[in-house]
Amino acid sequence: KSDFINFISDQEWKSIEPVSSWFGPSSFLMSSMSALFQLSMWIRHCHNYLTENVGIPVWGSYAVFALTTLFSGLVLGLVSEALERDWLV
């Protein structure tokens, strides 16, 4: 506690270089990291729900997530290709 009070009263904080805007809490990079963390927590919640409430074995839950990843990659690839070739316009 006394170190913190001395840090403020002696104005030692002025000698510390500020954090880059890339690493600020409201930057795009940190917002993206937060979104990825929230996604991982949601996936963990879904895994727990599938294994504990639904009764799917752990390997079954992994299979569901693997198939979901493959299917979403397929859909994103098709949409990307369609946008590239102007199929949707």
Side-chain angles (χ1 to χ4, degrees):
K1 179 179 173 182
S2 63
D3 289 340
F4 181 69
I5 292 173
N6 290 338
F7 179 77
I8 300 299
S9 64
D10 296 341
Q11 296 184 352
E12 294 176 20
W13 52 270
K14 288 185 177 182
S15 65
I16 296 177
E17 194 168 323
V19 174
S20 170
S21 63
W22 278 97
F23 299 109
S26 61
S27 70
F28 176 75
L29 179 65
M30 290 298 128
S31 297
S32 300
M33 292 297 291
S34 173
L36 286 173
F37 180 73
Q38 290 175 348
L39 176 65
S40 71
M41 294 303 294
W42 180 78
I43 290 172
R44 181 179 178 189
H45 174 74
C46 289
H47 171 73
N48 289 339
Y49 175 78
L50 289 173
T51 56
E52 294 171 5
N53 295 356
V54 178
I56 295 176
V58 173
W59 63 267
S61 175
Y62 291 156
V64 167
F65 286 116
L67 291 174
T68 303
T69 301
L70 289 172
F71 180 73
S72 63
L74 174 68
V75 169
L76 287 173
L78 289 173
V79 168
S80 168
E81 187 66 25
L83 291 175
E84 183 178 306
R85 296 184 184 251
D86 295 328
W87 289 346
L88 298 177
V89 179

